[in-house]
Amino acid sequence: MMDISIELTNTRAALLTLFLGYWIYIYVRDWRQDNIDNAYAQEHGCKAAQCTLPYRWPLGLDIMKAQYDALVSGHLLAGQIEWWDADGMGKTFRVKLLGAVGYVTHDPQNLETILSTRFEDYTVGARREGLFPMIGEGIFTQDGNPWKHSRELLRRQFARIQYQDLKAFDGPINDLLGGLRRSSGIVDLQPLFFAFTQATTTSLLFGEPFTGFDPADHEIFSEEFKYCSLISTLRLRLGDFYWLYSPWKFKKSCDNIKSYASCYVDHALRDQQENGEEMAFERHPFILDLYKELQDPVLVRDQLMNVLLAGRDTTACLMSWCFYLLVRNPASLQRLRQEIFSVANKGEDLTRAQISKMTWLKCILNETNRLYTQIPVNSRAAVKNTVLPKGGGPDGLSPLFIKKGVGIVFSPYHMHRHKELYGEDAGEFRPERWERPEMKNIGWRFMPFHGGPRTCLGKDFALAEASYGIVRILQSFPNLALPLGVIVEKPGKETQDFTIVVSSREGCKVMLN
């Protein structure tokens, strides 16, 4: 018995020694790292952030609840502006949620640093895991060399498209106009724009239509794509805790939309096998060019899903918000009508050259993109110790140390509404601001298509698509107007649906005549 007792005592002593040794190691390691971090921050003249978003409940759970309530009510982005302004947060501040420390910024200099100057210091962070079930391995879920490879592949495609005429939009816009001509009374343009951009984007990506689908399959795809976008957005909001929300229906819907895209990939590859590369390439250039490089139908499908996510909803929302604002600002709408009829003749083919002459249309699109940036909030995670130029010290003008692993949320939506950057009328629809000379060199104060190495490859395609659609609609319905009795709210105060993009929960209702 005594031998057993001694053996147990020795075992306990050994375990205790190991336990203490482990915690001493952790303490020393963290102490050394803190010294390295402090030396780095001191070397770069960094000061601590003076503002921390206040919370009342443990772990900041009250902030998370308030955000969720505002999301459900349709006022998340407006609520954030009010909270931050009321608490005097400034343009960069610290946030503590669930025990983790991060930062929020909408300072142009900081955004330039994150997205361009110190681009290599950051990754997309938890975005990969949040979006991966829906869009797989592609440009929006990658970093480093895989991302560079994907971007070069897709850059070639968009460079080819940039020099094409606008006839690719004819079929979808004629379908939209035909539906409007059969309508009467009040019409909601928003769902029609989603159908329009889905048709143009799938035509761009998938090429010749696949005839194996029933008409209902396209509607099902559209609904499941919307559902997957919503759930993916909620997963993104959870950051590193994305795994907490993965409903069974979400997995099933992700599989369904991927199967839809795979049918087009398989169709293109069969076409190539049966009719030769040259003939098939004319019908499916996007798919076959990707396959030539990737040699994997699944990777091709994933890249298509990535581009579809970026191109389908963003342009639809841009067009919806554009008409939403125009019918509430009849003087701007009338000036646009006059410009369209002075530059383009109804019934003739609309050209890129004609659109480039419509300077007021460009002002309207800029102002719409400013007020309703289609990726309103984004994030990055530091992969090494780094520095932001602003946010430290009592005045927020000193450099701010960002520790390896720390996440940063940045908000173009809020930056675009900042009075210090855009004046006292920053919250109002004023397209004429873009005619001022100083707006030509606005730089990082305006970034509707992101910035730096990750600037949106589809920017020119999206603006051409939106411009073409807007012009054709106003040519066909010059008397389009706001329905009687609609209450006009200040931009940003309306109820919104915030998935990956931001849309009007009330839609975009207009009178055609």
Side-chain angles (χ1 to χ4, degrees):
M1 285 294 292
M2 186 176 294
D3 290 341
I4 295 174
S5 177
I6 292 172
E7 186 176 341
L8 287 172
T9 300
N10 290 338
T11 300
R12 292 191 186 102
L15 290 173
L16 180 61
T17 301
L18 286 172
F19 180 77
L20 290 174
Y22 172 76
W23 283 108
I24 290 171
Y25 163 77
I26 294 294
Y27 175 81
V28 172
R29 183 198 65 182
D30 291 350
W31 176 77
R32 291 183 62 187
Q33 188 60 53
D34 286 344
N35 286 339
I36 292 171
D37 294 345
N38 291 335
Y40 181 93
Q42 189 173 4
E43 177 187 350
H44 290 83
C46 297
K47 296 182 180 179
Q50 297 300 302
C51 293
T52 299
L53 191 66
Y55 60 89
R56 299 185 305 277
W57 297 358
L59 303 178
L61 293 176
D62 57 313
I63 295 176
M64 297 185 69
K65 181 182 183 302
Q67 297 262 342
Y68 177 79
D69 291 344
L71 178 66
V72 171
S73 71
H75 296 94
L76 176 60
L77 296 172
Q80 286 176 339
I81 292 176
E82 291 176 3
W83 301 330
W84 298 348
D85 288 350
D87 291 320
M89 292 291 100
K91 288 186 280 191
T92 303
F93 56 91
R94 186 171 60 169
V95 178
K96 294 179 70 175
L97 290 175
L98 302 177
V101 175
Y103 293 89
V104 174
T105 186
H106 44 275
D107 186 293
Q109 284 186 254
N110 285 346
L111 268 61
E112 181 179 10
T113 298
I114 295 167
L115 302 177
S116 181
T117 313
R118 290 180 175 262
F119 176 80
E120 299 293 341
D121 292 358
Y122 297 92
T123 70
V124 296
R127 185 171 85 185
R128 176 178 174 84
E129 289 77 10
L131 290 176
F132 197 88
M134 179 181 179
I135 60 176
E137 189 71 44
I139 190 170
F140 292 118
T141 57
Q142 294 172 327
D143 283 302
N145 289 330
W147 166 77
K148 290 177 182 177
H149 183 228
S150 291
R151 186 170 177 88
E152 179 56 27
L153 285 178
L154 296 174
R155 184 195 63 77
R156 295 203 306 258
Q157 298 299 321
F158 283 102
R160 172 179 58 82
I161 294 162
Q162 185 176 350
Y163 298 104
Q164 293 179 348
D165 59 30
L166 303 176
K167 289 186 180 298
F169 302 132
D170 276 348
I173 197 64
N174 287 336
D175 289 342
L176 187 154
L177 293 173
L180 290 178
R181 292 188 183 101
R182 292 189 295 272
S183 302
S184 60
I186 298 174
V187 176
D188 186 358
L189 294 178
Q190 187 164 271
L192 302 179
F193 289 147
F194 274 91
F196 167 67
T197 56
Q198 179 168 312
T200 56
T201 308
T202 53
S203 175
L204 161 72
L205 297 178
F206 300 151
E208 183 182 79
F210 173 58
T211 57
F213 287 124
D214 292 326
D217 292 333
H218 303 297
E219 291 295 326
I220 292 171
F221 170 79
S222 181
E223 288 302 314
E224 293 204 318
F225 192 93
K226 181 179 179 181
Y227 169 76
C228 290
S229 297
L230 173 62
I231 302 303
S232 295
T233 301
L234 295 175
R235 287 162 58 84
L236 291 175
R237 300 288 178 274
L238 291 170
D240 290 335
F241 297 92
Y242 65 90
W243 47 270
L244 287 173
Y245 195 58
S246 187
W248 175 83
K249 183 184 175 184
F250 174 61
K251 183 180 183 304
K252 186 172 183 292
S253 294
C254 287
D255 290 341
N256 289 341
I257 61 174
K258 287 179 177 178
S259 294
Y260 179 93
S262 290
C263 287
Y264 283 94
V265 177
D266 295 341
H267 175 52
L269 295 179
R270 280 196 304 272
D271 191 5
Q272 180 177 251
Q273 186 176 12
E274 294 171 2
N275 300 302
E277 183 176 342
E278 186 175 346
M279 288 184 64
F281 190 84
E282 292 180 4
R283 292 187 281 267
H284 316 280
F286 209 110
I287 291 176
L288 294 180
D289 191 64
L290 288 177
Y291 184 77
K292 188 174 183 179
E293 186 77 26
L294 298 172
Q295 292 295 305
D296 185 337
V298 174
L299 291 179
V300 172
R301 178 204 68 194
D302 286 355
Q303 291 288 9
L304 296 177
M305 293 301 299
N306 274 253
V307 179
L308 185 60
L309 178 69
R312 173 185 177 267
D313 292 358
T314 50
T315 310
C317 289
L318 170 58
M319 296 177 71
S320 296
W321 286 119
C322 184
F323 277 100
Y324 181 95
L325 292 166
L326 282 173
V327 295
R328 287 161 173 77
N329 294 271
S332 295
L333 177 57
Q334 178 58 22
R335 183 175 170 184
L336 179 58
R337 286 194 197 100
Q338 292 171 349
E339 179 177 75
I340 290 171
F341 286 106
S342 69
V343 172
N345 295 320
K346 185 179 179 181
E348 295 182 1
D349 289 342
L350 188 63
T351 66
R352 288 182 182 271
Q354 288 173 320
I355 288 176
S356 68
K357 294 178 182 178
M358 298 180 187
T359 55
W360 184 240
L361 173 61
K362 183 178 180 180
C363 290
I364 286 170
L365 289 172
N366 279 347
E367 187 70 348
T368 304
N369 268 323
R370 183 185 73 84
L371 287 170
Y372 297 101
T373 311
Q374 279 314 303
I375 306 295
V377 179
N378 214 321
S379 65
R380 291 290 184 272
V383 293
K384 58 192 290 188
N385 284 350
T386 188
V387 174
L388 293 180
K390 296 283 189 68
D395 57 5
L397 299 179
S398 297
L400 178 66
F401 171 65
I402 303 296
K403 184 181 175 69
K404 177 182 177 181
V406 166
I408 302 176
V409 171
F410 56 94
S411 177
Y413 185 94
H414 298 90
M415 179 180 71
H416 290 167
R417 282 173 154 75
H418 208 288
K419 292 181 179 179
E420 184 179 317
L421 302 177
Y422 284 95
E424 290 299 315
D425 62 353
E428 300 174 23
F429 179 69
R430 295 281 186 269
E432 58 271 17
R433 79 174 76 243
W434 296 96
E435 295 177 317
R436 301 199 296 259
E438 64 269 21
M439 300 300 281
K440 292 180 180 179
N441 299 311
I442 193 168
W444 286 86
R445 289 181 294 158
F446 181 60
M447 44 174 292
F449 293 97
H450 209 64
R454 284 187 181 263
T455 297
C456 177
L457 287 168
K459 172 184 175 181
D460 292 328
F461 178 83
L463 290 175
E465 179 183 20
S467 299
Y468 186 83
I470 291 166
V471 171
R472 288 289 307 276
I473 289 170
L474 288 178
Q475 284 179 324
S476 301
F477 299 96
N479 296 321
L480 181 144
L482 183 70
L484 296 175
V486 172
I487 298 174
V488 177
E489 296 180 288
K490 185 177 179 181
K493 297 297 183 181
E494 68 285 319
T495 54
Q496 301 171 349
D497 281 326
F498 185 16
T499 55
I500 291 171
V501 296
V502 57
S503 60
S504 169
R505 183 171 291 183
E506 302 159 5
C508 178
K509 297 182 175 63
V510 300
M511 290 288 292
L512 297 178
N513 297 300

